[in-house]
PDB file of all heavy atoms in Angstrom:
ATOM      1  N   TYR H 469      -0.604  21.125  -5.303  1.00 91.00           N
ATOM      2  CA  TYR H 469      -2.035  21.327  -5.096  1.00 91.00           C
ATOM      3  C   TYR H 469      -2.635  19.991  -4.690  1.00 91.00           C
ATOM      4  O   TYR H 469      -1.973  18.946  -4.778  1.00 91.00           O
ATOM      5  CB  TYR H 469      -2.694  21.865  -6.372  1.00 91.00           C
ATOM      6  CG  TYR H 469      -2.325  21.100  -7.614  1.00 91.00           C
ATOM      7  CD1 TYR H 469      -3.020  19.949  -7.983  1.00 91.00           C
ATOM      8  CD2 TYR H 469      -1.252  21.497  -8.418  1.00 91.00           C
ATOM      9  CE1 TYR H 469      -2.664  19.226  -9.101  1.00 91.00           C
ATOM     10  CE2 TYR H 469      -0.879  20.779  -9.548  1.00 91.00           C
ATOM     11  CZ  TYR H 469      -1.592  19.647  -9.886  1.00 91.00           C
ATOM     12  OH  TYR H 469      -1.230  18.919 -10.981  1.00 91.00           O
ATOM     13  N   GLN H 470      -3.864  20.044  -4.253  1.00 94.00           N
ATOM     14  CA  GLN H 470      -4.533  18.816  -3.826  1.00 94.00           C
ATOM     15  C   GLN H 470      -4.889  17.993  -5.062  1.00 94.00           C
ATOM     16  O   GLN H 470      -5.588  18.483  -5.949  1.00 94.00           O
ATOM     17  CB  GLN H 470      -5.790  19.197  -3.041  1.00 94.00           C
ATOM     18  CG  GLN H 470      -6.523  17.999  -2.476  1.00 94.00           C
ATOM     19  CD  GLN H 470      -7.801  18.410  -1.748  1.00 94.00           C
ATOM     20  OE1 GLN H 470      -7.992  19.575  -1.410  1.00 94.00           O
ATOM     21  NE2 GLN H 470      -8.672  17.451  -1.515  1.00 94.00           N
ATOM     22  N   ALA H 471      -4.395  16.778  -5.124  1.00 96.00           N
ATOM     23  CA  ALA H 471      -4.741  15.909  -6.253  1.00 96.00           C
ATOM     24  C   ALA H 471      -6.253  15.710  -6.272  1.00 96.00           C
ATOM     25  O   ALA H 471      -6.903  15.716  -5.213  1.00 96.00           O
ATOM     26  CB  ALA H 471      -4.034  14.558  -6.112  1.00 96.00           C
ATOM     27  N   ALA H 472      -6.812  15.530  -7.459  1.00 96.00           N
ATOM     28  CA  ALA H 472      -8.275  15.415  -7.592  1.00 96.00           C
ATOM     29  C   ALA H 472      -8.816  14.278  -6.740  1.00 96.00           C
ATOM     30  O   ALA H 472      -9.929  14.357  -6.209  1.00 96.00           O
ATOM     31  CB  ALA H 472      -8.636  15.207  -9.055  1.00 96.00           C
ATOM     32  N   ASP H 473      -8.024  13.221  -6.574  1.00 96.00           N
ATOM     33  CA  ASP H 473      -8.497  12.062  -5.814  1.00 96.00           C
ATOM     34  C   ASP H 473      -7.922  12.023  -4.387  1.00 96.00           C
ATOM     35  O   ASP H 473      -7.926  10.976  -3.749  1.00 96.00           O
ATOM     36  CB  ASP H 473      -8.169  10.762  -6.561  1.00 96.00           C
ATOM     37  CG  ASP H 473      -6.700  10.651  -6.942  1.00 96.00           C
ATOM     38  OD1 ASP H 473      -5.978  11.663  -6.822  1.00 96.00           O
ATOM     39  OD2 ASP H 473      -6.269   9.567  -7.361  1.00 96.00           O
ATOM     40  N   ALA H 474      -7.430  13.171  -3.908  1.00 98.00           N
ATOM     41  CA  ALA H 474      -6.912  13.216  -2.526  1.00 98.00           C
ATOM     42  C   ALA H 474      -8.037  13.558  -1.555  1.00 98.00           C
ATOM     43  O   ALA H 474      -8.981  14.268  -1.904  1.00 98.00           O
ATOM     44  CB  ALA H 474      -5.812  14.260  -2.425  1.00 98.00           C
ATOM     45  N   HIS H 475      -7.912  13.058  -0.349  1.00 98.00           N
ATOM     46  CA  HIS H 475      -8.896  13.332   0.705  1.00 98.00           C
ATOM     47  C   HIS H 475      -8.379  14.485   1.553  1.00 98.00           C
ATOM     48  O   HIS H 475      -7.263  14.418   2.083  1.00 98.00           O
ATOM     49  CB  HIS H 475      -9.114  12.089   1.561  1.00 98.00           C
ATOM     50  CG  HIS H 475      -9.660  10.959   0.762  1.00 98.00           C
ATOM     51  ND1 HIS H 475     -11.009  10.657   0.717  1.00 98.00           N
ATOM     52  CD2 HIS H 475      -9.054  10.095  -0.093  1.00 98.00           C
ATOM     53  CE1 HIS H 475     -11.193   9.647  -0.118  1.00 98.00           C
ATOM     54  NE2 HIS H 475     -10.026   9.290  -0.609  1.00 98.00           N
ATOM     55  N   LEU H 476      -9.184  15.511   1.677  1.00 97.00           N
ATOM     56  CA  LEU H 476      -8.773  16.693   2.439  1.00 97.00           C
ATOM     57  C   LEU H 476      -8.997  16.459   3.934  1.00 97.00           C
ATOM     58  O   LEU H 476     -10.073  16.016   4.350  1.00 97.00           O
ATOM     59  CB  LEU H 476      -9.591  17.900   1.986  1.00 97.00           C
ATOM     60  CG  LEU H 476      -9.305  19.208   2.719  1.00 97.00           C
ATOM     61  CD1 LEU H 476      -7.892  19.710   2.422  1.00 97.00           C
ATOM     62  CD2 LEU H 476     -10.329  20.279   2.318  1.00 97.00           C
ATOM     63  N   LEU H 477      -7.948  16.757   4.718  1.00 97.00           N
ATOM     64  CA  LEU H 477      -8.088  16.666   6.174  1.00 97.00           C
ATOM     65  C   LEU H 477      -7.638  18.003   6.757  1.00 97.00           C
ATOM     66  O   LEU H 477      -6.449  18.348   6.681  1.00 97.00           O
ATOM     67  CB  LEU H 477      -7.229  15.508   6.706  1.00 97.00           C
ATOM     68  CG  LEU H 477      -7.267  15.250   8.203  1.00 97.00           C
ATOM     69  CD1 LEU H 477      -8.689  14.952   8.674  1.00 97.00           C
ATOM     70  CD2 LEU H 477      -6.358  14.065   8.566  1.00 97.00           C
ATOM     71  N   ASP H 478      -8.577  18.775   7.257  1.00 96.00           N
ATOM     72  CA  ASP H 478      -8.241  20.070   7.852  1.00 96.00           C
ATOM     73  C   ASP H 478      -8.031  19.867   9.345  1.00 96.00           C
ATOM     74  O   ASP H 478      -8.962  19.512  10.074  1.00 96.00           O
ATOM     75  CB  ASP H 478      -9.359  21.084   7.593  1.00 96.00           C
ATOM     76  CG  ASP H 478      -8.926  22.502   7.988  1.00 96.00           C
ATOM     77  OD1 ASP H 478      -8.234  22.649   9.024  1.00 96.00           O
ATOM     78  OD2 ASP H 478      -9.262  23.448   7.265  1.00 96.00           O
ATOM     79  N   THR H 479      -6.800  20.090   9.791  1.00 95.00           N
ATOM     80  CA  THR H 479      -6.442  19.783  11.181  1.00 95.00           C
ATOM     81  C   THR H 479      -6.389  21.026  12.064  1.00 95.00           C
ATOM     82  O   THR H 479      -5.892  20.958  13.179  1.00 95.00           O
ATOM     83  CB  THR H 479      -5.077  19.062  11.237  1.00 95.00           C
ATOM     84  OG1 THR H 479      -4.067  19.979  10.765  1.00 95.00           O
ATOM     85  CG2 THR H 479      -5.056  17.810  10.395  1.00 95.00           C
ATOM     86  N   THR H 480      -6.899  22.173  11.544  1.00 95.00           N
ATOM     87  CA  THR H 480      -6.803  23.423  12.310  1.00 95.00           C
ATOM     88  C   THR H 480      -7.309  23.251  13.739  1.00 95.00           C
ATOM     89  O   THR H 480      -6.674  23.728  14.684  1.00 95.00           O
ATOM     90  CB  THR H 480      -7.605  24.550  11.605  1.00 95.00           C
ATOM     91  OG1 THR H 480      -7.147  24.654  10.263  1.00 95.00           O
ATOM     92  CG2 THR H 480      -7.428  25.886  12.322  1.00 95.00           C
ATOM     93  N   GLN H 481      -8.427  22.569  13.881  1.00 93.00           N
ATOM     94  CA  GLN H 481      -9.048  22.436  15.213  1.00 93.00           C
ATOM     95  C   GLN H 481      -8.717  21.104  15.887  1.00 93.00           C
ATOM     96  O   GLN H 481      -9.355  20.747  16.869  1.00 93.00           O
ATOM     97  CB  GLN H 481     -10.580  22.537  15.086  1.00 93.00           C
ATOM     98  CG  GLN H 481     -11.094  23.752  14.367  1.00 93.00           C
ATOM     99  CD  GLN H 481     -10.912  25.026  15.184  1.00 93.00           C
ATOM    100  OE1 GLN H 481     -10.672  24.973  16.381  1.00 93.00           O
ATOM    101  NE2 GLN H 481     -10.988  26.167  14.523  1.00 93.00           N
ATOM    102  N   MET H 482      -7.768  20.369  15.345  1.00 93.00           N
ATOM    103  CA  MET H 482      -7.516  19.015  15.886  1.00 93.00           C
ATOM    104  C   MET H 482      -6.153  18.915  16.550  1.00 93.00           C
ATOM    105  O   MET H 482      -5.173  19.467  16.059  1.00 93.00           O
ATOM    106  CB  MET H 482      -7.496  17.977  14.749  1.00 93.00           C
ATOM    107  CG  MET H 482      -8.804  17.704  14.110  1.00 93.00           C
ATOM    108  SD  MET H 482      -8.521  16.465  12.797  1.00 93.00           S
ATOM    109  CE  MET H 482     -10.121  16.424  12.069  1.00 93.00           C
ATOM    110  N   GLY H 483      -6.081  18.149  17.614  1.00 90.00           N
ATOM    111  CA  GLY H 483      -4.787  17.771  18.166  1.00 90.00           C
ATOM    112  C   GLY H 483      -4.238  16.622  17.337  1.00 90.00           C
ATOM    113  O   GLY H 483      -4.954  16.071  16.485  1.00 90.00           O
ATOM    114  N   ILE H 484      -2.988  16.242  17.600  1.00 91.00           N
ATOM    115  CA  ILE H 484      -2.345  15.233  16.763  1.00 91.00           C
ATOM    116  C   ILE H 484      -3.031  13.863  16.861  1.00 91.00           C
ATOM    117  O   ILE H 484      -3.172  13.156  15.859  1.00 91.00           O
ATOM    118  CB  ILE H 484      -0.817  15.147  17.035  1.00 91.00           C
ATOM    119  CG1 ILE H 484      -0.165  14.134  16.087  1.00 91.00           C
ATOM    120  CG2 ILE H 484      -0.481  14.848  18.475  1.00 91.00           C
ATOM    121  CD1 ILE H 484      -0.354  14.446  14.630  1.00 91.00           C
ATOM    122  N   GLU H 485      -3.486  13.522  18.068  1.00 95.00           N
ATOM    123  CA  GLU H 485      -4.128  12.204  18.220  1.00 95.00           C
ATOM    124  C   GLU H 485      -5.418  12.134  17.400  1.00 95.00           C
ATOM    125  O   GLU H 485      -5.670  11.148  16.703  1.00 95.00           O
ATOM    126  CB  GLU H 485      -4.457  11.922  19.701  1.00 95.00           C
ATOM    127  CG  GLU H 485      -3.233  11.759  20.597  1.00 95.00           C
ATOM    128  CD  GLU H 485      -2.320  10.624  20.134  1.00 95.00           C
ATOM    129  OE1 GLU H 485      -2.844   9.650  19.570  1.00 95.00           O
ATOM    130  OE2 GLU H 485      -1.099  10.737  20.316  1.00 95.00           O
ATOM    131  N   ALA H 486      -6.222  13.192  17.487  1.00 97.00           N
ATOM    132  CA  ALA H 486      -7.478  13.223  16.737  1.00 97.00           C
ATOM    133  C   ALA H 486      -7.198  13.225  15.231  1.00 97.00           C
ATOM    134  O   ALA H 486      -7.893  12.554  14.456  1.00 97.00           O
ATOM    135  CB  ALA H 486      -8.293  14.451  17.131  1.00 97.00           C
ATOM    136  N   ALA H 487      -6.182  13.981  14.827  1.00 96.00           N
ATOM    137  CA  ALA H 487      -5.852  14.050  13.395  1.00 96.00           C
ATOM    138  C   ALA H 487      -5.398  12.683  12.891  1.00 96.00           C
ATOM    139  O   ALA H 487      -5.781  12.254  11.792  1.00 96.00           O
ATOM    140  CB  ALA H 487      -4.767  15.095  13.149  1.00 96.00           C
ATOM    141  N   LEU H 488      -4.613  11.980  13.708  1.00 98.00           N
ATOM    142  CA  LEU H 488      -4.138  10.655  13.286  1.00 98.00           C
ATOM    143  C   LEU H 488      -5.306   9.669  13.194  1.00 98.00           C
ATOM    144  O   LEU H 488      -5.396   8.892  12.238  1.00 98.00           O
ATOM    145  CB  LEU H 488      -3.051  10.143  14.244  1.00 98.00           C
ATOM    146  CG  LEU H 488      -2.429   8.793  13.886  1.00 98.00           C
ATOM    147  CD1 LEU H 488      -1.829   8.809  12.474  1.00 98.00           C
ATOM    148  CD2 LEU H 488      -1.351   8.396  14.887  1.00 98.00           C
ATOM    149  N   ARG H 489      -6.212   9.741  14.171  1.00 98.00           N
ATOM    150  CA  ARG H 489      -7.389   8.859  14.110  1.00 98.00           C
ATOM    151  C   ARG H 489      -8.194   9.132  12.829  1.00 98.00           C
ATOM    152  O   ARG H 489      -8.649   8.208  12.157  1.00 98.00           O
ATOM    153  CB  ARG H 489      -8.294   9.066  15.341  1.00 98.00           C
ATOM    154  CG  ARG H 489      -7.848   8.269  16.566  1.00 98.00           C
ATOM    155  CD  ARG H 489      -8.965   8.191  17.598  1.00 98.00           C
ATOM    156  NE  ARG H 489      -9.458   9.492  18.037  1.00 98.00           N
ATOM    157  CZ  ARG H 489      -8.894  10.221  19.007  1.00 98.00           C
ATOM    158  NH1 ARG H 489      -7.835   9.777  19.650  1.00 98.00           N
ATOM    159  NH2 ARG H 489      -9.403  11.406  19.334  1.00 98.00           N
ATOM    160  N   ALA H 490      -8.341  10.421  12.507  1.00 98.00           N
ATOM    161  CA  ALA H 490      -9.106  10.789  11.303  1.00 98.00           C
ATOM    162  C   ALA H 490      -8.400  10.281  10.044  1.00 98.00           C
ATOM    163  O   ALA H 490      -9.043   9.776   9.112  1.00 98.00           O
ATOM    164  CB  ALA H 490      -9.289  12.304  11.244  1.00 98.00           C
ATOM    165  N   ALA H 491      -7.072  10.385  10.028  1.00 98.00           N
ATOM    166  CA  ALA H 491      -6.313   9.934   8.850  1.00 98.00           C
ATOM    167  C   ALA H 491      -6.422   8.421   8.697  1.00 98.00           C
ATOM    168  O   ALA H 491      -6.625   7.900   7.589  1.00 98.00           O
ATOM    169  CB  ALA H 491      -4.846  10.353   8.978  1.00 98.00           C
ATOM    170  N   ILE H 492      -6.322   7.701   9.810  1.00 98.00           N
ATOM    171  CA  ILE H 492      -6.430   6.233   9.766  1.00 98.00           C
ATOM    172  C   ILE H 492      -7.826   5.834   9.274  1.00 98.00           C
ATOM    173  O   ILE H 492      -7.978   4.904   8.464  1.00 98.00           O
ATOM    174  CB  ILE H 492      -6.131   5.617  11.161  1.00 98.00           C
ATOM    175  CG1 ILE H 492      -4.638   5.770  11.477  1.00 98.00           C
ATOM    176  CG2 ILE H 492      -6.541   4.143  11.219  1.00 98.00           C
ATOM    177  CD1 ILE H 492      -4.249   5.420  12.911  1.00 98.00           C
ATOM    178  N   ALA H 493      -8.847   6.559   9.738  1.00 98.00           N
ATOM    179  CA  ALA H 493     -10.220   6.245   9.315  1.00 98.00           C
ATOM    180  C   ALA H 493     -10.351   6.410   7.794  1.00 98.00           C
ATOM    181  O   ALA H 493     -11.001   5.593   7.124  1.00 98.00           O
ATOM    182  CB  ALA H 493     -11.212   7.147  10.048  1.00 98.00           C
ATOM    183  N   ILE H 494      -9.715   7.451   7.246  1.00 98.00           N
ATOM    184  CA  ILE H 494      -9.788   7.665   5.789  1.00 98.00           C
ATOM    185  C   ILE H 494      -9.084   6.516   5.057  1.00 98.00           C
ATOM    186  O   ILE H 494      -9.618   5.944   4.103  1.00 98.00           O
ATOM    187  CB  ILE H 494      -9.147   9.022   5.394  1.00 98.00           C
ATOM    188  CG1 ILE H 494      -9.969  10.183   5.959  1.00 98.00           C
ATOM    189  CG2 ILE H 494      -9.021   9.133   3.878  1.00 98.00           C
ATOM    190  CD1 ILE H 494      -9.305  11.553   5.820  1.00 98.00           C
ATOM    191  N   VAL H 495      -7.883   6.176   5.527  1.00 98.00           N
ATOM    192  CA  VAL H 495      -7.122   5.107   4.853  1.00 98.00           C
ATOM    193  C   VAL H 495      -7.904   3.789   4.907  1.00 98.00           C
ATOM    194  O   VAL H 495      -8.051   3.103   3.891  1.00 98.00           O
ATOM    195  CB  VAL H 495      -5.723   4.930   5.500  1.00 98.00           C
ATOM    196  CG1 VAL H 495      -5.003   3.717   4.903  1.00 98.00           C
ATOM    197  CG2 VAL H 495      -4.882   6.190   5.314  1.00 98.00           C
ATOM    198  N   ASP H 496      -8.446   3.460   6.090  1.00 97.00           N
ATOM    199  CA  ASP H 496      -9.187   2.197   6.228  1.00 97.00           C
ATOM    200  C   ASP H 496     -10.398   2.174   5.300  1.00 97.00           C
ATOM    201  O   ASP H 496     -10.695   1.159   4.663  1.00 97.00           O
ATOM    202  CB  ASP H 496      -9.645   1.992   7.681  1.00 97.00           C
ATOM    203  CG  ASP H 496      -8.483   1.594   8.585  1.00 97.00           C
ATOM    204  OD1 ASP H 496      -7.396   1.272   8.058  1.00 97.00           O
ATOM    205  OD2 ASP H 496      -8.647   1.613   9.821  1.00 97.00           O
ATOM    206  N   LYS H 497     -11.074   3.303   5.222  1.00 97.00           N
ATOM    207  CA  LYS H 497     -12.275   3.382   4.392  1.00 97.00           C
ATOM    208  C   LYS H 497     -11.923   3.207   2.905  1.00 97.00           C
ATOM    209  O   LYS H 497     -12.560   2.433   2.195  1.00 97.00           O
ATOM    210  CB  LYS H 497     -12.950   4.735   4.631  1.00 97.00           C
ATOM    211  CG  LYS H 497     -14.220   4.956   3.875  1.00 97.00           C
ATOM    212  CD  LYS H 497     -14.871   6.242   4.364  1.00 97.00           C
ATOM    213  CE  LYS H 497     -15.952   6.694   3.406  1.00 97.00           C
ATOM    214  NZ  LYS H 497     -16.568   7.951   3.827  1.00 97.00           N
ATOM    215  N   VAL H 498     -10.886   3.914   2.463  1.00 96.00           N
ATOM    216  CA  VAL H 498     -10.489   3.814   1.051  1.00 96.00           C
ATOM    217  C   VAL H 498     -10.060   2.385   0.724  1.00 96.00           C
ATOM    218  O   VAL H 498     -10.455   1.823  -0.307  1.00 96.00           O
ATOM    219  CB  VAL H 498      -9.341   4.805   0.737  1.00 96.00           C
ATOM    220  CG1 VAL H 498      -8.790   4.574  -0.664  1.00 96.00           C
ATOM    221  CG2 VAL H 498      -9.819   6.243   0.873  1.00 96.00           C
ATOM    222  N   MET H 499      -9.270   1.773   1.610  1.00 95.00           N
ATOM    223  CA  MET H 499      -8.776   0.430   1.330  1.00 95.00           C
ATOM    224  C   MET H 499      -9.919  -0.586   1.351  1.00 95.00           C
ATOM    225  O   MET H 499      -9.931  -1.532   0.565  1.00 95.00           O
ATOM    226  CB  MET H 499      -7.665   0.043   2.320  1.00 95.00           C
ATOM    227  CG  MET H 499      -6.392   0.869   2.167  1.00 95.00           C
ATOM    228  SD  MET H 499      -5.760   0.999   0.470  1.00 95.00           S
ATOM    229  CE  MET H 499      -5.020  -0.618   0.247  1.00 95.00           C
ATOM    230  N   ALA H 500     -10.887  -0.383   2.265  1.00 94.00           N
ATOM    231  CA  ALA H 500     -12.033  -1.313   2.319  1.00 94.00           C
ATOM    232  C   ALA H 500     -12.846  -1.202   1.034  1.00 94.00           C
ATOM    233  O   ALA H 500     -13.265  -2.210   0.453  1.00 94.00           O
ATOM    234  CB  ALA H 500     -12.896  -1.001   3.541  1.00 94.00           C
ATOM    235  N   LEU H 501     -13.040   0.020   0.568  1.00 93.00           N
ATOM    236  CA  LEU H 501     -13.805   0.205  -0.672  1.00 93.00           C
ATOM    237  C   LEU H 501     -13.069  -0.411  -1.856  1.00 93.00           C
ATOM    238  O   LEU H 501     -13.664  -1.024  -2.733  1.00 93.00           O
ATOM    239  CB  LEU H 501     -14.071   1.692  -0.914  1.00 93.00           C
ATOM    240  CG  LEU H 501     -15.113   2.324   0.023  1.00 93.00           C
ATOM    241  CD1 LEU H 501     -15.177   3.831  -0.176  1.00 93.00           C
ATOM    242  CD2 LEU H 501     -16.498   1.709  -0.209  1.00 93.00           C
ATOM    243  N   LYS H 502     -11.726  -0.240  -1.853  1.00 90.00           N
ATOM    244  CA  LYS H 502     -10.920  -0.809  -2.950  1.00 90.00           C
ATOM    245  C   LYS H 502     -11.008  -2.321  -2.964  1.00 90.00           C
ATOM    246  O   LYS H 502     -10.981  -2.947  -4.013  1.00 90.00           O
ATOM    247  CB  LYS H 502      -9.442  -0.429  -2.765  1.00 90.00           C
ATOM    248  CG  LYS H 502      -9.099   0.895  -3.376  1.00 90.00           C
ATOM    249  CD  LYS H 502      -7.597   1.092  -3.339  1.00 90.00           C
ATOM    250  CE  LYS H 502      -7.285   2.422  -3.959  1.00 90.00           C
ATOM    251  NZ  LYS H 502      -6.331   2.376  -5.019  1.00 90.00           N
ATOM    252  N   ALA H 503     -11.051  -2.886  -1.753  1.00 89.00           N
ATOM    253  CA  ALA H 503     -11.100  -4.348  -1.655  1.00 89.00           C
ATOM    254  C   ALA H 503     -12.497  -4.869  -2.005  1.00 89.00           C
ATOM    255  O   ALA H 503     -12.730  -6.073  -1.996  1.00 89.00           O
ATOM    256  CB  ALA H 503     -10.699  -4.785  -0.256  1.00 89.00           C
TER     257      ALA H 503
END
Side-chain angles (χ1 to χ4, degrees):
Y469 48 85
Q470 183 182 344
D473 53 349
H475 298 263
L476 178 66
L477 181 59
D478 190 321
T479 65
T480 306
Q481 307 289 344
M482 290 180 186
I484 183 58
E485 294 301 329
L488 182 57
R489 276 196 303 276
I492 290 170
I494 294 171
V495 174
D496 286 349
K497 181 172 165 182
V498 172
M499 293 310 284
L501 288 173
K502 273 189 180 234

